[in-house]
Structure formats: C-alpha cells, structure tokens
Amino acid sequence: MLITLFIVIAYLFRYSTTTINKDLLNTKWYRYNNTNGYYDVLEFSENNFKYYKADNTNNPNEYDNCKNYIYNKVSKTFNLDCGKSIKIVNYNNDKLEIELDEKNLTFFKDIENSVNYEFELTFGKSMVDYKKEKSQILETIKINEQKLLEVLKENEYSKIIFIGDKCTSVDCALSLDIIEKNNTQTVNMYYFDYSDLTNDLISKMNLIDSKLLNDINFYNGIYPRVIIAKNNKIVDTYELKCLGFNCNKYIINEF
C-alpha cells in the first residue's frame, strides 16, 4: 500500500503543471487564420484552457468543451479533458509553436507578428517587400485632381481607388495584386493618392454627387476605398475586404 502511494505521488510530481514556463501561461496567443481573416486565440492559465477559433458564424468549434488539462512535462504536452492534446514544439517570449490535430501551428503574443508570419509563409516574402514590388501599378493608374473630377462625370463606368496612410490591413497589400490583375482587363480604373485629397476637392466631388461624403476620413480607412462612378452619379462605393488572403471575389467584373 505504501509503495502504491509513493508511485502515485511520484506520478503527480512528474506531470505537475509547475514545470510549465510561467511566461506561457495567462497570455493570449494569436494566430492569423489566412482562410477567413480572423485570429485564433489560444490561452492557458494555471488550471484552465481556452481556444477561440473565430469566423463569420456563431457555430461552436471542437475546442469549446475543452476546459482543463494535465501537463506532461516529459513530452511537453497538454492533455485536454476533451480527449485532445497540444504538444509544445518550440517556445520563446513572443512565439509559440504547437502540434495540434497533426498540424504544426504558430502563435504570437503580438497580433501584427502573426499576420506578417502567415503572409511571408504564404507568399515567400514580407508584406513590406510585397508592397514595394506591387506598388508600381499605382503609379501607372494614378490621376490628379482635375482628372478625378473628369472621371466622375464620364459616361462610362469608372473605378477609383483611394488608399491612405491609415490603410494598414493586410488587404491594403493584397489589393495591389488585384488592381494589377484587373488593370489588364479594365481600362477605366484609376488610383487617387489620399495625400493629395483636400477638403476643397471633397466639396467639389460632393457637388457632383452628394453620396460622396464630406468627411475626409471616408477616403482614408484601414481598407482601400473603391468608388464606382458613371455620368455624374456614384453607382457604388465600398471597402475592399478580402477573405483572409483570398481576394478572388474582386477580380475583373466584381472589382
């Protein structure tokens, strides 16, 4: 009986959560999901576990019922009370690599590091380098104030893209590829630099069609702003938002 007790105590000591790196606990770890544009959030506390997988639905995910864990310090594995397990592959102060459902996933404390990591993993280059390479298309279709007012009055459909200094989302980088592809198919597509936009110009635009707001921030969001105009009328205006890294809905006719 005494031997059995010693074995149990030894087992509990061996698999105690006290061997978990404390910096890993009580921290939100983010992973950008490049298929839907949301962030997965992983969090361990001293005794509990949460894995939030966001999407555009309210459907539960397979980890919603995972609440507690036992940590195996030998295999560096969190054995969850829902029958699943998470293995720590690598860890430092900012980056957490895990094995989950036979997939290697990488999380970060910093959200921006997460999206930049997934971007480089997908496109083979940093977002900064991607923008530098693709930004030449904007110079090709860039117009000035006079041309902008003319375009708004043309009898044919025209598409004008506004990209400002607040355009920091990943969609701002991906939109450059969409613009490049559509430029070979669409003649009446233009780019206006937000830094050249003035309140006086916005007032002139508003006189053409009052749907164009007088608020200068309307043209400087975290997403590219697209305006479709024809014959002194604004046919449509929207922000260019991709589904993760997938922007195909904006190619050719839909852009």
Side-chain angles (χ1 to χ4, degrees):
M1 182 69 178
L2 188 60
I3 295 175
T4 303
L5 180 61
F6 282 146
I7 292 174
V8 171
I9 293 173
Y11 178 87
L12 292 175
F13 177 79
R14 178 169 181 166
Y15 297 111
S16 170
T17 59
T18 59
T19 59
I20 303 174
N21 191 314
K22 297 300 181 181
D23 292 334
L24 189 150
L25 302 177
N26 302 314
T27 297
K28 285 184 170 62
W29 295 93
Y30 299 93
R31 174 180 175 269
Y32 181 76
N33 189 322
N34 61 32
T35 62
N36 62 26
Y38 293 90
Y39 289 89
D40 296 345
V41 184
L42 184 67
E43 185 175 7
F44 299 97
S45 67
E46 294 289 348
N47 301 303
N48 303 113
F49 165 83
K50 294 179 182 178
Y51 187 20
Y52 180 63
K53 298 182 69 175
D55 56 28
N56 58 356
T57 72
N58 293 319
N59 296 331
N61 71 69
E62 62 269 39
Y63 302 96
D64 285 346
N65 293 322
C66 303
K67 305 296 182 183
N68 303 300
Y69 64 83
I70 295 176
Y71 182 66
N72 185 323
K73 71 177 183 181
V74 176
S75 62
K76 297 181 179 179
T77 301
F78 291 88
N79 294 302
L80 308 178
D81 60 357
C82 58
K84 293 182 176 292
S85 62
I86 297 176
K87 182 178 180 179
I88 305 299
V89 177
N90 196 17
Y91 165 74
N92 60 37
N93 289 333
D94 179 65
K95 185 178 178 181
L96 174 64
E97 299 176 59
I98 66 171
E99 182 181 308
L100 176 63
D101 294 333
E102 299 182 347
K103 295 180 181 179
N104 288 331
L105 306 176
T106 303
F107 291 76
F108 293 84
K109 286 183 180 179
D110 186 276
I111 287 181
E112 291 303 315
N113 287 344
S114 175
V115 66
N116 286 325
Y117 174 84
E118 295 296 333
F119 191 95
E120 188 163 351
L121 196 65
T122 301
F123 298 99
K125 63 189 68 176
S126 70
M127 202 181 307
V128 172
D129 290 339
Y130 185 93
K131 285 182 178 179
K132 287 180 180 178
E133 180 182 303
K134 296 286 186 177
S135 61
Q136 295 179 0
I137 184 61
L138 297 182
E139 293 301 318
T140 303
I141 61 174
K142 184 177 179 179
I143 56 176
N144 58 22
E145 175 180 334
Q146 180 180 349
K147 180 62 176 179
L148 173 61
L149 296 175
E150 291 176 359
V151 165
L152 293 174
K153 299 176 181 179
E154 289 179 353
N155 291 328
E156 297 181 352
Y157 285 103
S158 297
K159 301 167 186 178
I160 309 152
I161 304 100
F162 293 82
I163 301 177
D165 54 9
K166 292 182 181 178
C167 197
T168 56
S169 65
V170 64
D171 308 72
C172 301
L174 297 175
S175 67
L176 300 176
D177 181 62
I178 298 301
I179 292 169
E180 184 178 62
K181 290 177 178 177
N182 283 323
N183 191 47
T184 62
Q185 303 289 336
T186 307
V187 176
N188 301 323
M189 184 166 65
Y190 308 96
Y191 160 69
F192 191 86
D193 191 340
Y194 169 81
S195 63
D196 295 331
L197 196 60
T198 64
N199 288 324
D200 180 62
L201 175 55
I202 292 176
S203 296
K204 292 178 182 177
M205 294 164 60
N206 185 258
L207 289 175
I208 295 174
D209 192 323
S210 59
K211 289 181 181 178
L212 290 173
L213 301 183
N214 281 320
D215 183 3
I216 197 168
N217 292 316
F218 177 73
Y219 307 90
N220 188 20
I222 63 172
Y223 301 98
R225 166 67 60 182
V226 178
I227 290 176
I228 302 178
K230 179 183 180 182
N231 195 23
N232 295 322
K233 295 292 182 182
I234 303 304
V235 178
D236 194 11
T237 178
Y238 55 87
E239 292 178 316
L240 195 155
K241 298 180 181 180
C242 302
L243 187 63
F245 291 161
N246 186 343
C247 306
N248 291 338
K249 66 179 180 179
Y250 293 109
I251 292 179
I252 308 177
N253 294 331
E254 295 300 320
F255 182 67

